[in-house]
Amino acid sequence: MLRHRLTKRFPSLGSRKDRERENATASVSDIGSGSHGIRLVPSSRYTTISRRLLVSAIHVGLNGLHEALKVVNEAADVFGPLKSVIGGLLACIERTLANHEEMARLIKTIDHLASLVTVRLERLGATNASRKRMLKLESDLKNIVKNIEDLQARGFVVRLAENSVDAEKLVGAYQQIKDVLNAFQLEVGLEIERNVQDLLNEVVIRDLRRSRDASFRAAIKTDTLSRGPCTAGTRVEILDKIMAWARADDADSPPVFWLTGLAGTGKTTIAYTICERMWTENKLLVSFFCSRQLDSKDSRLIVPTICRNLAELFRSYATKLVPVLKGDSVLGEARIHEQIDKLLAGPWSASRPGRDGLPVPVVVIDALDESDDGVEFLKSLLRVVGDKSLRGIKFLVTSRAQPEIVDLCHSFQLPADMICCLHEVPLVDVQDDIAQFLADKLPELRDTDEFTQLSRRTDEQQAKLRKLLKPGATSGSTLLLDQLYEQVLSTAFDEEDEDFLHTRLDILHAVVCTQELISIPVIAQLLGLNEDTTKTCVDSLHSVLYVTPLDHLVSCYHASFPEFILDAQRSRFTAPLSFTKAKSRELEVFCDKPVFDARLTDCCFRIMTSELQFNICNLPSSSTLDCHVDNLRELVQTNISPVLRYAARHWGEHLLAAGRTDRSSLHDKLKAFLTDVFLFWLEAMNLIGSKSLCFPLLRLAVGGWNLKIWDSTTGELLQELVGHTKWITSVSFSDDGTYIISASADMSIRIWDASTGKQLRKLLGHTKGVLAIAFSHDTQYIVSGSEDLSVRIWARDPKVGNQLKQLDGHIDGVRSVAFSHDDMQVVSGSYDMSVRIWDVKTGQQVRELLSHTKEVWSVAFSPCGPQIVSGSADNSIRIWDASTGKELKQFSTTSTVISVVFSPDGQNIVSAVGCSIQIWDVMKGELLNEFTSSSHVCSVMFSHDGTRVVSASNTSIRVWDTMTSEQSKKLKGHTGPVQCLAFSSDGKQVISASLDKTIQVWDAVTGRQLKEFNYTLEDSILALSSDGALACSVAAKYGSPLKVWDTAAGKLLTEQYIGGEVTCLSFSPDSTHVIAGLHTGSLIISDSRMGEQLRDLRDLRGHTESITSVAFFPNSFELVSGSRDGSIRTWDTRNGENIQVLAGHTRSVTSVAVSGGGEQIVSGSKDKSVVVWDAKTGECLYSLALLCIGSPVSITFSPRVEHPQIAAGLGDDVAVWDMTTREKKLLRPRGHSNVRSVAFSPDGTLIVSGSGDGSVRVRRNIEDPESWHVDKEGWIWSAEDYESDSRWYGARVYYSHRLMWLSPERHLSLLTPGVAMIMSQKGYSTVSFDDCHIGTDWHKCYHDGS
């Protein structure tokens, strides 16, 4: 077996194999599948074959070193000194016999390392650092080679097989080779991976949301007692265990280590120490310390922050991450599981080859329980760790032992030694740590009796601490921890008057309720208090509050204190207060968080209203980017106060947390904020680097808490139902119209009386927001789906009960639920991409439907049978057989299907897709009708009689009549490539024909769509007459009929069968004839009015391949044709004679056209040339230069004889040539993609182009200098100007200024200078800079009215 592999690679071995086999005395056996795995059984004699086989085996094992030597030879100037060393090394290897398993293993390892060195040297190139490393490698290898040569000189090889001691010496030498190569490839690999600055400068990386406070090195982390390292000499065993795990790079090392414990047991301190040690040792480290008081509480920041830090460490990962972010820039705001899949797991897995052989990075995530959705993060993380998508990365996670986290870690089956519970550490270890801590903190007492006594009491204190921190532990009816807080607060609030007591409570509650740590001055300004008073209060609470020495931020010592303050029962107690006449009184320090959040919301609005203003930082010009303002940081620090920063960043979170508290008052203040200072707020948020928070804050602010009932006929608001404390996610009427149910993010379901609006019941049980609800058809039951992954069935009647069943199985939030027509089954759709069917009686899952590739947003049963419809973010609607689970049909849409439901008769489906409401025929699978809303539609429903559809969007509710075509139909432009264009004879209309099977008529001045009609579904070859009055179409297959249409009436005029496969069409100038080019290279002429075939030119010899383009001469009896064979031919249609053959193109001809007088022919080809020919002689007059890469299409002559021009589509551009001067200009109608058709207006003053994106653009054909232009990123720039520079003897210095920025959907449909009109689905946008104050005059654009 081994010899076969060796002789296959080294043929010279096989030529003497028979003779050498007779003398062989050493046996060779395989020990593995690879060619490096060999074991030799020693023998007393050696023969030629044994030595040859062994040396060849070593050659195989060290192939990587040979490759490395090639690299050395190719870069001798850099690596020359190493060449002789490696040569000597190989010579030693060839004289050495690998005679046991350890040597074979080393050879295999050296092979792999040498291959890595080869690849990395090629990637690194020549640098000063690489030269130094090569010199060191040369020196190290020289010493090793010398040792091996010395052994050989003493007859070492001869003794090798029989002397195990000598064999070990050789193994040791090769172990040194392995170590040297490994150290070298690590240094080179890390240098390559850390060269990422160019990628970090990518906009998508810079704009990726991440936490400012999460790193263990962040300044704020060192300011609190909970964020320092362990005292030297403590936690030794735990720290050593974790560090041993972190340093292990072998594949068997577990990828996750979980450190857990009760509050205050030192988890964060240990995590900090691990980070500090790894940082000191230059290990690859990423850290994320969660905190309720910092921005690191936001779980959606964990993944982006980790990804950004990993991108700094690994270029290979950053290279894969950047295109993902460019493809979907909002992933930083996506749900956690999507962030982990697309930002972390996907790019990390794809970049694995680039990290081969490098150390494994460790990600430390501390206090996960303090993140707002840490459980969801951990669940998604363990999922991808379990499926090996994050192989080559380790996670140290610390948290309290919350039940959900405990269940997740146990379900992941972490090894027992990878879980460390601090509250279970042996008492003796704790005693030693406490003694060491005391010795460190109280060195002056170390040798005193007091210290000895204090140390002896560690048993008692540890027991008390355990009892104190144990949840549920009580002393009488009061927690021991509560007694501590009661004593502290009683002391702090003693000897003060009643008013000052409330002031202190306000300050305390502000510390507990603010969204991030804030300073004493910010607290004072936020609450409108005196700063000295605030400081006095904070100082009096020094036992529970802490002021960081660096940033002076106020923080709670421990997370249990806010929990105490926010608990109404625990924080109401009796305390002795000296300022009351009684010896004691009941002191209530309880903070009603919604009420106080309402107050903080009001405070934020007050601060923003008073401090926000236009151009708050007095920036000199609107044309200068922030990054180009030299002293911007100083300007921001000076003009945007810390309290304004807080108010601007967090008003929305306080508004949401306030729930229904003081709703009307807050609504008025929100309205005033949006009306008066909203734009100033956006400017300030951008300046403080928080622009990514704007949309989430606004989304929180406009969430709906109230349920409204409308009259569908009159549109009158009938009732408003109040009760939910967060936004409502789903509502439903009972079939008899007597009840309404609503679901909310407040985790509740409410049942209402539809006639009176009275709340009848409130159903609680879900542990997260409820996303979907539905009534059973008999109105007795309710089904709900939630973010907590469960589906639950409830009884409407309280006499029957509350929650009847909980259906578990989904692994992500349940977005939609529905009952079957007989109420025996329930269907659910989930973000986990599945549709599941459940038995209502048993609660068991009947089947799971898996075809969708993205989140399922909506599901519904048919009212007439066992069919289910589902809509998904994968842009599809699917119909299923509920009895078998078989997928019956699939409809494709252009965007996410948010809502889908059957009509009452089950024949149709209505769906919400983007801003559209679509009605589909279930049997035929056809789109019957489509309505368009002004904003995104979030829900649709049929009326009970099926005659109307109601839709809900972000801003309105609309009722649509499904029977009235005038109401339902909205003319909106082409949805497929525009193949041909024409102006009407008076130039007032544009006619376009598209592959979307429609011909549309437009007003050339206003861009309004005047008419639309459909032609045959299969037709894909199109042509328009010169005046646009007629259109012809045919399918691109053999025997398809040629049809001629009246575009004004939308009627089919004639139809005739060709008897061949048509490849192109064209009308004669007088529109009386149609010429069809065939796949065979022949032509057929037909009467366009009568539908009769006039002449069949198929028997004529000419083109050898299919015809690609045809055009008539002005006399209507001569024509020109272009073919895939590269030739152009002119024909006389009266006798079929081939008049001229125009040869010159080297590839297929794409388009031909004839000038208005018939004297010239122009042709375009895939050889990327445009050629003008003399029509009479066939001579090439001249070739026109192309301005961009691409083949010219749809070439046409201008009708203006006095100013002859040629126009053609070139990729995304339209090129125009002046035939007199042969000068060229390139029209770049931004937003166009893949120009398919071009035409001149009758007077030649306009050029119209049709695009592959379905849009039509009309441009003025004049030399009009652009007053501004748009770049590809959406920036509008002023026209280029210049000024004289005296430093360069008056030389002109050209410049241009930014005017404004437009989003992609706007700037791609913008009427730029020279573009008269855009006809498309998206319509068009205009911008005018008349009377605008832009640039250095921008301060004039705002007047405050004072």
Side-chain angles (χ1 to χ4, degrees), residues 976-981 993 995 1020 1150-1151 1192-1195 1208-1214 1232-1239 1248-1255:
V978 179
Q979 289 293 89
C980 49
L981 294 161
L995 292 182
S1020 59
T1150 57
S1151 183
V1193 297
S1194 189
I1195 296 181
L1210 285 177
D1212 296 341
D1213 305 317
V1214 177
H1232 246 359
S1233 61
N1234 187 17
V1235 175
R1236 307 286 284 268
S1237 50
V1238 180
V1248 61
S1249 57
S1251 168
D1253 61 12
S1255 67

Side-chain angles (χ1 to χ4, degrees), residues 338-442:
E338 189 174 3
Q339 288 182 341
I340 285 183
D341 289 341
K342 295 181 179 180
L343 292 181
L344 184 57
W348 184 260
S349 180
S351 63
R352 186 177 301 156
R355 304 187 314 275
D356 189 15
L358 296 183
V360 174
V362 176
V363 178
V364 178
I365 304 172
D366 178 63
L368 191 59
D369 53 284
E370 294 201 24
S371 174
D372 54 11
D373 203 359
V375 174
E376 176 64 22
F377 169 80
L378 185 59
K379 180 184 71 174
S380 300
L381 176 66
L382 293 180
R383 172 175 55 81
V384 293
V385 169
D387 65 19
K388 308 298 184 184
S389 298
L390 290 178
R391 184 182 305 165
I393 189 169
K394 290 184 173 184
F395 294 89
L396 170 61
V397 179
T398 81
S399 73
R400 296 190 200 181
Q402 290 183 346
E404 300 91 341
I405 296 179
V406 172
D407 291 343
L408 279 173
C409 291
H410 287 166
S411 66
F412 189 67
Q413 297 181 340
L414 281 175
D417 59 342
M418 291 296 104
I419 300 176
C420 179
C421 300
L422 293 179
H423 49 276
E424 297 177 0
V425 173
L427 188 59
V428 64
D429 294 339
V430 177
Q431 291 172 340
D432 293 341
D433 287 345
I434 292 176
Q436 183 62 43
F437 175 82
L438 293 173
D440 183 77
K441 299 301 180 184
L442 303 172

Side-chain angles (χ1 to χ4, degrees), residues 781-803:
Y781 302 101
I782 297 167
V783 63
S784 62
S786 167
E787 287 181 299
D788 65 10
L789 318 187
S790 72
V791 177
R792 305 185 189 220
I793 298 177
W794 315 76
R796 177 190 58 79
D797 190 339
K799 296 178 181 178
V800 178
N802 288 321
Q803 180 178 309

Side-chain angles (χ1 to χ4, degrees), residues 878-1066:
R878 301 172 194 256
I879 300 178
W880 314 78
D881 187 319
S883 59
T884 65
K886 181 181 178 182
E887 182 181 323
L888 303 177
K889 281 189 176 64
Q890 178 181 341
F891 310 145
S892 295
T893 64
T894 58
S895 184
T896 296
V897 182
I898 297 295
S899 178
V900 64
V901 68
F902 279 98
S903 61
D905 61 5
Q907 299 300 306
N908 298 325
I909 289 170
V910 63
S911 60
V913 180
C915 296
S916 299
I917 299 100
Q918 301 173 335
I919 299 179
W920 304 80
D921 185 300
V922 174
M923 295 300 295
K924 297 180 181 179
E926 296 179 358
L927 179 62
L928 300 177
N929 227 330
E930 187 169 7
F931 322 135
T932 302
S933 175
S934 59
S935 58
H936 276 70
V937 181
C938 54
S939 181
V940 288
M941 182 66 66
F942 274 104
S943 62
H944 284 294
D945 58 6
T947 61
R948 289 171 295 173
V949 169
V950 62
S951 66
S953 70
N954 292 335
T955 57
S956 64
I957 297 174
R958 300 183 182 216
V959 180
W960 310 82
D961 192 323
T962 62
M963 307 300 293
T964 308
S965 60
E966 286 80 8
Q967 255 190 344
S968 63
K969 193 178 179 83
K970 181 172 177 64
L971 306 178
K972 58 182 178 57
H974 289 298
T975 60
V978 179
Q979 289 293 89
C980 49
L981 294 161
F983 275 91
S984 60
S985 56
D986 58 7
K988 293 182 177 179
Q989 296 177 349
V990 173
I991 300 90
S992 56
S994 167
L995 292 182
D996 65 3
K997 315 308 175 190
T998 67
I999 295 174
Q1000 301 182 9
V1001 183
W1002 309 81
D1003 187 305
V1005 177
T1006 66
R1008 186 168 63 94
Q1009 191 188 69
L1010 304 176
K1011 197 172 299 179
E1012 176 187 78
F1013 70 89
N1014 293 80
Y1015 60 88
T1016 309
L1017 187 63
E1018 294 183 346
D1019 291 359
S1020 59
I1021 311 298
L1022 308 169
L1024 288 168
S1025 62
S1026 58
D1027 60 1
L1030 298 177
C1032 58
S1033 65
V1034 66
K1037 63 180 181 180
Y1038 186 87
S1040 298
L1042 173 66
K1043 308 176 190 68
V1044 179
W1045 309 80
D1046 184 322
T1047 60
K1051 291 182 180 179
L1052 177 64
L1053 298 179
T1054 65
E1055 184 175 7
Q1056 64 169 297
Y1057 286 88
I1058 298 298
E1061 182 181 340
V1062 178
T1063 55
C1064 58
L1065 294 169
S1066 182

Side-chain angles (χ1 to χ4, degrees), residues 90-107:
L90 292 176
C92 291
I93 292 171
E94 290 173 355
R95 294 194 300 270
T96 302
L97 302 179
N99 69 331
H100 56 59
E101 296 180 28
E102 181 65 13
M103 180 64 75
R105 185 186 65 79
L106 282 173
I107 289 175

Side-chain angles (χ1 to χ4, degrees), residues 1230-1231 1257 1304-1312 1318 1320 1322-1326:
R1230 179 159 297 285
R1257 281 168 164 75
E1305 61 270 19
R1306 291 296 182 192
H1307 78 75
L1308 292 179
S1309 58
L1310 181 66
L1311 294 186
T1312 54
I1318 298 175
S1320 74
K1322 298 177 181 178
Y1324 62 88
S1325 304
T1326 62

Side-chain angles (χ1 to χ4, degrees), residues 181-443:
L181 286 177
N182 188 47
F184 181 79
Q185 72 87 17
L186 280 176
E187 291 180 359
V188 175
L190 289 175
E191 180 179 350
I192 294 171
E193 289 296 304
R194 289 175 176 173
N195 181 24
V196 293
Q197 193 56 50
D198 57 325
L199 295 172
L200 297 181
N201 286 332
E202 290 279 356
V203 174
V204 289
I205 291 287
R206 293 204 314 265
D207 289 350
L208 188 63
R209 281 187 69 201
R210 55 187 182 272
S211 170
R212 300 167 301 162
D213 307 320
S215 170
F216 92 99
R217 299 179 65 228
I220 196 169
K221 304 299 192 244
T222 61
D223 293 341
T224 66
L225 291 179
S226 59
R227 293 298 173 90
C230 296
T231 300
T234 64
R235 301 294 194 184
V236 174
E237 185 176 345
I238 295 173
L239 292 172
D240 288 347
K241 180 179 181 180
I242 297 175
M243 285 302 298
W245 165 81
R247 294 183 183 117
D249 284 337
D250 57 282
D252 296 331
S253 181
V256 178
F257 192 109
W258 180 37
L259 178 68
T260 183
L262 300 173
T265 52
K267 302 180 295 296
T268 295
T269 307
I270 293 174
Y272 188 98
T273 306
I274 294 296
C275 291
E276 196 174 56
R277 289 190 181 183
M278 293 194 68
W279 184 263
T280 303
E281 296 178 10
N282 290 320
K283 300 294 184 183
L284 300 179
L285 170 70
V286 173
S287 61
F288 195 101
F289 282 65
C290 304
S291 173
R292 292 190 183 96
Q293 298 294 323
L294 304 171
D295 67 350
S296 56
K297 69 178 181 297
D298 188 347
S299 57
R300 288 184 304 168
L301 295 180
I302 300 178
V303 177
T305 303
I306 291 174
C307 292
R308 175 61 167 76
N309 292 340
L310 285 174
E312 292 181 1
L313 296 176
F314 296 100
R315 181 180 183 85
S316 53
Y317 169 71
T319 303
K320 301 297 182 182
L321 178 64
V322 167
V324 172
L325 289 170
K326 286 184 176 180
D328 190 351
S329 60
V330 298
L331 279 173
E333 302 287 343
R335 289 187 296 276
I336 293 172
H337 75 87
E338 189 174 3
Q339 288 182 341
I340 285 183
D341 289 341
K342 295 181 179 180
L343 292 181
L344 184 57
W348 184 260
S349 180
S351 63
R352 186 177 301 156
R355 304 187 314 275
D356 189 15
L358 296 183
V360 174
V362 176
V363 178
V364 178
I365 304 172
D366 178 63
L368 191 59
D369 53 284
E370 294 201 24
S371 174
D372 54 11
D373 203 359
V375 174
E376 176 64 22
F377 169 80
L378 185 59
K379 180 184 71 174
S380 300
L381 176 66
L382 293 180
R383 172 175 55 81
V384 293
V385 169
D387 65 19
K388 308 298 184 184
S389 298
L390 290 178
R391 184 182 305 165
I393 189 169
K394 290 184 173 184
F395 294 89
L396 170 61
V397 179
T398 81
S399 73
R400 296 190 200 181
Q402 290 183 346
E404 300 91 341
I405 296 179
V406 172
D407 291 343
L408 279 173
C409 291
H410 287 166
S411 66
F412 189 67
Q413 297 181 340
L414 281 175
D417 59 342
M418 291 296 104
I419 300 176
C420 179
C421 300
L422 293 179
H423 49 276
E424 297 177 0
V425 173
L427 188 59
V428 64
D429 294 339
V430 177
Q431 291 172 340
D432 293 341
D433 287 345
I434 292 176
Q436 183 62 43
F437 175 82
L438 293 173
D440 183 77
K441 299 301 180 184
L442 303 172

